[in-house]
Amino acid sequence: MTNSATIAGLDPAALADVLRLAGSPGFDRVQDQIRRTGGCSDPIHLQGTTVTRDKATGQVLHSYSTDSEPGGRLRIACGNRRASRCPACAWTYAGDTYHLIRAGLVGDPAKGTPHTIRDHPRVFATLTAPSFGSVHNRPGNRPCRCGIRHGEDAPELGTPLNPDTYDYAGAVLWNNHASELWRYFTIYLRREIARRAGLTQKAAREASRVSFGKVAEYQKRGAVHFHAVIRFDGPDGPDSPPPAWATLDLLTAAIHSAAARVAVDVPSAGDQPARTLRWGTQLDVQPIGAFGHGEEITEAAVASYVAKYATKAAETTGTVDRRVGNKEALVLLGVPDHPRRLIEACLDLHALYPDRKLQDWAHMLGFRGHFSTKSRRYSTTLGALRQTRADYRAAQQREALGLPDPHTPETTTLTLAHWSYAGHGHTPGESWLAANIRRDIELNRETAREALRDELDLDGADA
């Protein structure tokens, strides 16, 4: 798979490595390994062996050793969720997140939710951060406060009108406590639901459950906000219908009230005053409708939206996607002014709030929570989805090798394996090869999507 146009654009060192790789005796196997990772940008290298024996006779049915691989190593995908680190693995992570969220909206018995879940009241809520100072924005069709009507991709969007008066310390402390704000929100939400239903908290818990799946997103200004699917269930979770009083209106009103009640106190330290952190006033709660019925917020749209942001992080604001230990590194890395000031605020505040680990999370602008989380009964788990995929691939491999299924009672095989970490990443030539494989896979996906759209259009369906 040689692309002369991209080869011509390589620097001399990378070009030399491409030619070395192409002429090596193990090239086909290297290419096969990289293809199996989906074109992973930073694969893990393993060394080791596996041996499958018949328990009764001791006969070796199959054996494998990385000694026969190019360089004596086997490459596996890194599994990183962040598209800035590895687009290939992020695509898989986004797909898993999509199916997890979708299963909690439309139902999928294989993923722990019945199809009747579609009849449960559910909303798509967005909780945002408060203001830390005026920023350049696009307020509808009106000009920004600076007097300019900014374009959609204007680099100044989200940056302060006056950086000297912007509350950088408050912004990173808010990000740092965002997960606690969410935790208190879920506590108050259940209390508000009970109050509005005229029940004690115990009685409300015995009659209904609240399930959610959420994802964090960075706004242009560098503040985290949360998108969440919030759903009413019956006492047994998704398998039981919610009580009659558990309506969409009650859930919506309870969300608004719960968000308004949340307050997290941060004590004063050094030159920093005491703060009370709250959610911003821009709280959006919209009902989720069924796909194809004309609703503005549909099940498919919500699942796609959450999956999209599950693979993004603070790098969307212009910051770096790796840990930063000092301010000098920010200059060398060319970090833009606004995210640089946010990172510097984290570094400056670390000594005042050592338990908050602000220096460790400076590259995340202070945020230290999980980017996608869910309640236990919302739907399946990412781990379960990965295990299903691993089991499927293992079954394919056993079939290709003619090995029996080890999970059947009559099987008497025993597999012994030993693996050790041997490094990670690519040589320059392998990176070029991985990028081309990744591009071909993406083109094939887009071709398949176009074919599906054409088929739906021909059938008169709403694509």
Side-chain angles (χ1 to χ4, degrees), residues 24 222 276 370 377 398:
S24 67
T276 298
H370 293 289
R377 298 298 300 274
R398 285 195 303 272

Side-chain angles (χ1 to χ4, degrees), residues 10 17 57 72 84 86 174 181 230 262 312 391 396 402 458 460:
L10 290 175
D17 195 54
T57 66
S84 63
C86 181
W174 195 95
L181 288 161
I230 305 176
V262 173
K312 298 181 182 297
D391 291 343
Q396 281 186 316
L458 288 172

Side-chain angles (χ1 to χ4, degrees), residues 153-169:
D153 298 321
E156 60 269 26
L157 286 176
T159 62
L161 295 176
N162 186 351
D164 294 333
T165 61
Y166 193 81
D167 186 8
Y168 282 98

Side-chain angles (χ1 to χ4, degrees), residues 1-318:
M1 48 176 296
T2 301
N3 187 317
S4 57
T6 55
I7 284 182
L10 290 175
D11 63 76
L15 178 58
D17 195 54
V18 168
L19 297 176
R20 176 200 62 79
L21 180 65
S24 67
F27 172 72
D28 288 341
R29 180 55 182 163
V30 169
Q31 182 173 251
D32 182 57
Q33 283 195 25
I34 295 175
R35 191 182 303 280
R36 285 171 178 269
T37 69
C40 175
S41 300
D42 189 24
I44 306 300
H45 296 190
L46 298 178
Q47 291 179 327
T49 60
T50 64
V51 178
T52 302
R53 296 178 180 272
D54 187 296
K55 281 184 181 180
T57 66
Q59 178 187 1
V60 175
L61 303 177
H62 174 70
S63 65
Y64 167 82
S65 172
T66 54
D67 290 344
S68 61
E69 298 287 0
R73 300 182 177 194
L74 177 69
R75 297 163 179 80
I76 62 171
C78 68
N80 198 302
R81 71 165 186 85
R82 296 163 74 168
S84 63
R85 291 280 191 91
C86 181
C89 292
W91 187 88
T92 301
Y93 186 92
D96 286 347
T97 302
Y98 173 85
H99 286 292
L100 183 152
I101 295 297
R102 185 178 182 277
L105 291 172
V106 304
D108 187 337
K111 297 180 177 65
T113 53
H115 292 301
T116 53
I117 202 77
R118 216 169 196 176
D119 299 323
H120 295 201
R122 64 267 176 92
V123 298
F124 188 53
T126 300
L127 293 90
T128 63
S131 174
F132 304 105
S134 299
V135 299
H136 294 275
N137 59 8
R138 302 178 71 234
N141 293 320
R142 304 187 308 278
C144 173
R145 290 186 185 181
C146 69
I148 299 173
R149 185 175 284 118
H150 298 297
E152 186 174 347
D153 298 321
E156 60 269 26
L157 286 176
T159 62
L161 295 176
N162 186 351
D164 294 333
T165 61
Y166 193 81
D167 186 8
Y168 282 98
V172 298
L173 285 171
W174 195 95
N175 281 348
N176 191 253
H177 290 80
S179 295
E180 291 174 49
L181 288 161
W182 173 263
R183 182 172 67 85
Y184 280 113
F185 166 72
T186 61
I187 293 171
Y188 288 136
L189 177 58
R190 292 178 173 90
R191 293 178 183 176
E192 285 294 326
I193 287 171
R195 185 178 69 82
R196 292 173 182 277
L199 301 171
T200 64
Q201 292 183 51
K202 180 180 178 181
R205 284 196 304 269
E206 292 174 347
S208 69
R209 287 178 179 267
V210 178
S211 297
F212 70 85
K214 75 167 176 66
V215 67
E217 179 195 357
Y218 280 88
Q219 295 174 298
K220 283 283 189 180
R221 59 183 172 138
V224 169
H225 63 177
F226 293 124
H227 302 291
V229 175
I230 305 176
R231 188 187 70 214
F232 256 139
D233 291 333
D236 298 324
D239 295 318
S240 57
W245 55 260
T247 63
L248 192 65
D249 289 341
L250 186 147
L251 178 59
T252 300
I255 290 171
H256 281 277
S257 296
R261 289 181 60 183
V262 173
V264 173
D265 292 325
V266 179
S268 61
D271 61 347
Q272 293 299 315
R275 288 179 167 85
T276 298
L277 306 178
R278 299 181 182 277
W279 292 109
T281 57
Q282 293 181 319
L283 171 62
D284 184 51
V285 184
Q286 298 190 49
I288 301 172
F291 178 75
H293 292 178
E295 296 87 348
E296 188 171 339
I297 303 296
T298 66
E299 297 156 341
V302 167
S304 297
Y305 195 82
V306 172
K308 172 185 175 182
Y309 284 105
T311 64
K312 298 181 182 297
E315 64 272 8
T316 59
T317 69

